[in-house]
Amino acid sequence: ILEGSWKCIIQTFSLSFFLSFFLSFLKQNSAIQGNDITVKSYKVESRITLRFAHTTVKSSVLNSGPSAQSIGFNVQIPKRAFINNFTMNVNGNTFVGSVKEKTVARNLYALARARGKAAGIVRTNSQSMETFRTEVHVPPGSKVEFELHYQEMMQRKLGVYQHTLHLQPGRLVPLLQVDVYIFEPKGIKFVTASNTLGEQFADLTKITHTKDKAHIVFRPTLQQQRKCENCTESAVDGVFTVNYDVDRESNAGELQVSDGHFVQFFAPSDLSPLSKNIVFVIDVSGSMWGLKMKQTVEAMKAILDDLSMDDYFSIIDFNHNARCWSEDLVQASSIQVDEAKKYVQSIRPNGGTNINEALLKAVQILVRASNQGLIDPRSVSMIILVSDGDPTVGEIKLSTIQKNVKRVMREEFSLFSLGIGFDVDFDFLERIAMDNRGIAQRIYANHDAAEQLKAFYSQVSSPLLRTITINLPENAVNNVTQNRFDKFFSGSELIVAGKLQPSDLTTLQSFTTAAAVSPLTPLSLFRFENSISVMVVLHRVWKKHPVQVDFLGIYMSSDNKYSTQVHGLIGQFAKEPKVKVYGVHEGADPKKKKATMEVKGNKLAVTRGWQKDFRRDKKRGSDVYCWFIHNSGKGFIDGSYTSYILPQLDSFLTAI
């Protein structure tokens, strides 16, 4: 039994059967284990609705041997998954497992054992996949049916939701079937399926796909499962993966209401990436010698090449001491990047591991740059730690290192941790990352470790927004999940869910605020079809311009459907007013003609000119010919422009 963070399932059985649950990480981990057994069926079914997956694994097994024996049932499940049910039927007798909090589970486990009953406990460690293993001791001729249910919230990474199923029946199965059903009300953009089972299974997956539903089926025959034509061993041993994404009508996201609950998905695209300030912290202790270091160097060279001219960076490599390639952040110019690549290439691992000193130096580099005004306030600052072992030099107490780093880290900095192999305390790397607004990931020390490192970096290399808050009216919702987020990265997704409070409201509105360089769409969605999208663009002008100043441009779709209560600037133009333009003549600038406009009973002086429209091309905008109205819109907008000025953008919102 491996220690670590853990989930528990407790179940007691009569003495005629012995059942134990435990988690292990074995190289050979077939789903059904035992001698002289017949596997009648092995079925996996996943139903994914609104990115939430319910997966059921069923297997029917017969002890066809002459004596009693233990039959094992193993299922690999994602680390983020939650086991919500496990049942086992032995010769018509059904036993149901129950999920308990870890302390309760330990107490029940000890009590059951003290009473002479068999009991089991499930533990997990911190890998991305876990192996749920069950054994039951049964007489000859016994029929055993296993059924495991687990749930997981799909995570969007690099623009894709990925659902992974490990298929390891361990032997030939007369009925082997995988079904994945997907339902996304807003529409499925694409869906693909792949597997690592081998070329012989490449064409056996069938996909049917409508606008909002998809069904993926994998059902190899008994003969197709064989390793060779006359083999008795199964070739089904690998990973079956379904990838998909959903249609998004606008940058605003998607707000769904059903059965007294709501969920909002926020995944804006077509935004310009924010610039980055990165300090790479690389473990070069003796344990990194060989393939680990070679793969790390290969990945670092590719990552450095990916930096843009707007990015700033430095590198710290550490063993028993921490060394800085540059004491200060430097711009990611081609010259500096080439110098950094040469430095990384020259690293030779040796010595111990001083994580504490290395991380504190990394924070110092960012703090110094910030204090000197070298960091763009709109940029994102982060530390990326790559290590393969626990600290052995300097401060070695993990809790103290965690406190030291948290004490000096600023709110605007993030720490991402990458643990290579299994010698490192991954729980520690995960805690220290989550403490400092980051995430951690284990890198498997094998031939594709470099690709794993690059793939992780790709997830965090394009920050699009900072300081995101998804506001919902507090009198309409409760039990709301996290609604404030530090950063949003390209290809990912933010999710907020909760319960609706009883009310007479026919609409549920949310308003999203964030820091960006480029367009951001606030959101106001009406209930199960009508929607509104508004594009807000920050227009910047030359700082020394004698007249013009930075301003927000607001762009609204003509397809918006407003309620009858809409008012203010939007309400005035929800229906386009009647406009008449006449008396067009040359002005001082031949490119800017002048005219008179009649609107709302007023005659206004207007000037012709070009303007950017960002409703379609959100990055560059498209040029459109417009009439510009002078005198702050007097006579065109209702009242004075001062009536529409707020102290700050979200000052009208109720505090949440």
Side-chain angles (χ1 to χ4, degrees):
I1 295 176
L2 300 178
E3 292 293 338
S5 61
W6 49 291
K7 307 168 189 169
C8 302
I9 291 185
I10 279 290
Q11 180 62 51
T12 58
F13 298 87
S14 63
L15 289 174
S16 59
F17 300 108
F18 173 75
L19 174 68
S20 66
F21 299 124
F22 59 94
L23 277 171
S24 59
F25 294 87
L26 307 174
K27 290 184 179 179
Q28 300 297 326
N29 204 18
S30 57
I32 307 299
Q33 293 184 337
N35 300 315
D36 296 324
I37 65 172
T38 302
V39 182
K40 297 289 187 180
S41 64
Y42 187 81
K43 300 179 181 179
V44 181
E45 179 181 290
S46 290
R47 293 185 177 271
I48 304 172
T49 301
L50 288 171
R51 289 74 137 180
F52 194 77
H54 300 256
T55 300
T56 304
V57 183
K58 297 180 182 179
S59 185
S60 178
V61 185
L62 177 68
N63 179 7
S64 50
S67 58
Q69 64 167 314
S70 293
I71 298 177
F73 175 66
N74 304 322
V75 180
Q76 289 198 57
I77 64 174
K79 167 98 172 40
R80 290 171 52 85
F82 173 72
I83 298 173
N84 61 315
N85 191 26
F86 175 72
T87 60
M88 184 175 64
N89 186 292
V90 182
N91 296 328
N93 297 312
T94 300
F95 304 96
V96 181
S98 60
V99 181
K100 303 292 183 184
E101 188 273 330
K102 64 180 180 180
T103 303
V104 176
R106 278 176 172 167
N107 293 337
L108 288 175
Y109 177 77
L111 182 62
R113 299 291 289 183
R115 291 178 176 176
K117 293 186 176 183
I121 193 166
V122 175
R123 303 188 182 205
T124 77
N125 76 0
S126 296
Q127 290 187 345
S128 59
M129 297 298 294
E130 302 169 340
T131 304
F132 171 78
R133 183 177 179 186
T134 306
E135 287 185 357
V136 59
H137 196 76
V138 295
S142 295
K143 182 181 179 182
V144 184
E145 294 178 343
F146 300 101
E147 185 169 323
L148 178 71
H149 297 252
Y150 64 89
Q151 302 172 340
E152 62 174 319
M153 192 73 205
M154 307 288 288
Q155 280 190 310
R156 189 170 185 257
K157 296 181 179 180
L158 301 177
V160 172
Y161 301 101
Q162 186 173 88
H163 185 58
T164 301
L165 301 170
H166 284 252
L167 304 181
Q168 299 165 302
R171 59 202 67 223
L172 299 174
V173 183
L175 178 55
L176 174 62
Q177 182 164 336
V178 177
D179 289 280
V180 178
Y181 299 90
I182 303 173
F183 173 53
E184 294 290 351
K186 289 295 184 181
I188 299 172
K189 188 175 183 179
F190 66 83
V191 58
T192 63
S194 60
N195 63 69
T196 62
L197 304 175
E199 292 186 4
Q200 71 191 78
F201 300 103
D203 299 324
L204 298 185
T205 302
K206 306 299 181 186
I207 300 176
T208 55
H209 179 199
T210 62
K211 181 183 182 298
D212 57 1
K213 294 179 181 178
H215 182 200
I216 301 93
V217 182
F218 176 70
R219 185 165 48 193
T221 65
L222 197 67
Q223 186 60 33
Q224 289 169 335
Q225 296 172 41
R226 299 181 190 275
K227 283 190 174 180
C228 62
E229 187 175 354
N230 298 315
C231 289
T232 57
E233 296 87 14
S234 173
V236 181
D237 185 359
V239 179
F240 185 83
T241 303
V242 174
N243 293 321
Y244 79 97
D245 198 14
V246 300
D247 287 325
R248 291 175 177 81
E249 295 178 352
S250 70
N251 270 345
E254 177 184 349
L255 184 60
Q256 293 282 345
V257 176
S258 178
D259 296 328
H261 294 76
F262 77 90
V263 60
Q264 179 170 335
F265 304 97
F266 184 67
S269 58
D270 296 331
L271 301 179
S272 301
L274 302 172
S275 58
K276 304 182 293 295
N277 313 294
I278 308 181
V279 181
F280 299 98
V281 182
I282 306 171
D283 185 345
V284 296
S285 59
S287 58
M288 286 287 288
W289 184 266
L291 182 61
K292 289 181 184 177
M293 197 71 242
K294 180 181 178 182
Q295 297 276 29
T296 301
V297 169
E298 180 186 335
M300 276 302 303
K301 289 162 71 175
I303 288 170
L304 289 168
D305 279 333
D306 188 63
L307 295 174
S308 73
M309 282 287 288
D310 294 328
D311 297 330
Y312 287 77
F313 76 103
S314 187
I315 299 171
I316 294 176
D317 63 292
F318 70 97
N319 43 31
H320 47 280
N321 294 315
R323 293 162 297 280
C324 300
W325 168 69
S326 171
E327 294 286 346
D328 298 303
L329 292 177
V330 299
Q331 188 176 17
S333 64
S334 57
I335 294 176
Q336 297 286 15
V337 166
D338 286 342
E339 290 298 317
K341 287 162 65 177
K342 290 177 185 176
Y343 180 81
V344 170
Q345 186 71 55
S346 69
I347 291 174
R348 296 293 179 267
N350 66 84
T353 307
N354 194 338
I355 293 178
N356 187 70
E357 182 186 352
L359 287 177
L360 294 184
K361 277 198 172 186
V363 178
Q364 288 172 7
I365 290 177
L366 292 177
V367 169
R368 185 164 55 249
S370 179
N371 290 343
Q372 294 173 352
L374 301 177
I375 290 181
D376 186 334
R378 295 167 296 175
S379 65
V380 168
S381 299
M382 63 180 77
I383 296 169
I384 297 182
L385 168 67
V386 181
S387 180
D388 78 329
D390 290 341
T392 60
V393 179
E395 180 56 67
I396 61 173
K397 190 175 180 181
L398 299 181
S399 60
T400 302
I401 297 174
Q402 192 175 342
K403 291 176 184 176
N404 289 344
V405 174
K406 188 172 183 178
R407 175 173 46 83
V408 297
M409 282 282 280
R410 292 187 176 177
E411 285 294 322
E412 63 267 30
F413 302 161
S414 296
L415 171 62
F416 298 91
S417 303
L418 293 169
I420 300 181
F422 295 95
D423 296 328
V424 68
D425 188 326
F426 187 78
D427 277 346
F428 163 68
L429 292 184
E430 195 168 46
R431 287 195 305 271
I432 201 169
M434 294 184 69
D435 260 1
N436 297 285
R437 297 159 296 283
I439 58 175
Q441 183 165 313
R442 188 186 294 279
I443 302 296
Y444 296 91
N446 53 30
H447 66 282
D448 72 341
E451 294 303 316
Q452 296 176 58
L453 285 165
K454 287 186 282 187
F456 176 84
Y457 175 74
S458 296
Q459 295 177 37
V460 300
S461 63
S462 295
L464 301 182
L465 298 172
R466 292 187 302 106
T467 321
I468 308 103
T469 302
I470 298 178
N471 301 279
L472 293 124
E474 61 179 5
N475 62 341
V477 299
N478 56 29
N479 294 339
V480 178
T481 60
Q482 177 185 355
N483 71 323
R484 291 181 174 88
F485 305 90
D486 187 62
K487 296 175 182 65
F488 172 77
F489 295 97
S490 177
S492 64
E493 184 173 61
L494 303 180
I495 301 175
V496 178
K499 290 184 177 180
L500 296 176
Q501 294 192 40
S503 70
D504 296 329
L505 292 176
T506 58
T507 65
L508 176 64
Q509 298 177 322
S510 71
F511 187 85
T512 303
T513 60
V517 179
S518 58
L520 171 65
T521 308
L523 175 64
S524 176
L525 290 184
F526 290 76
R527 288 185 190 273
F528 306 122
E529 298 300 326
N530 298 332
S531 65
I532 294 174
S533 65
V534 180
M535 178 65 62
V536 181
V537 183
L538 173 60
H539 295 275
R540 292 191 176 276
V541 300
W542 180 45
K543 289 183 179 179
K544 297 183 180 180
H545 197 285
V547 178
Q548 295 183 6
V549 295
D550 294 352
F551 67 97
L552 289 177
I554 301 177
Y555 304 86
M556 293 170 287
S557 171
S558 57
D559 296 328
N560 284 347
K561 298 177 181 178
Y562 303 98
S563 72
T564 55
Q565 288 78 35
V566 67
H567 59 281
L569 278 175
I570 293 177
Q572 295 171 48
F573 305 105
K575 292 184 179 180
E576 190 170 322
K578 293 181 179 180
V579 173
K580 179 181 178 182
V581 178
Y582 58 91
V584 179
H585 59 277
E586 297 289 337
D589 185 342
K591 294 182 179 179
K592 297 181 178 180
K593 295 185 177 181
K594 294 186 177 294
T596 300
M597 175 185 289
E598 282 190 7
V599 60
K600 296 183 177 180
N602 299 313
K603 294 183 179 181
L604 309 176
V606 293
T607 302
R608 195 70 158 160
W610 290 100
Q611 176 64 23
K612 290 285 187 181
D613 183 350
F614 289 88
R615 288 177 296 179
R616 292 175 177 81
D617 187 340
K618 297 178 178 62
K619 279 189 176 180
R620 301 174 185 84
S622 52
D623 291 321
V624 293
Y625 219 20
C626 298
W627 287 108
F628 288 83
I629 299 167
H630 305 285
N631 299 324
S632 301
K634 184 178 180 181
F636 186 73
I637 61 174
D638 294 343
S640 169
Y641 76 94
T642 56
S643 303
Y644 305 98
I645 295 178
L646 296 171
Q648 57 190 42
L649 184 61
D650 59 354
S651 60
F652 69 95
L653 294 174
T654 303
I656 295 178

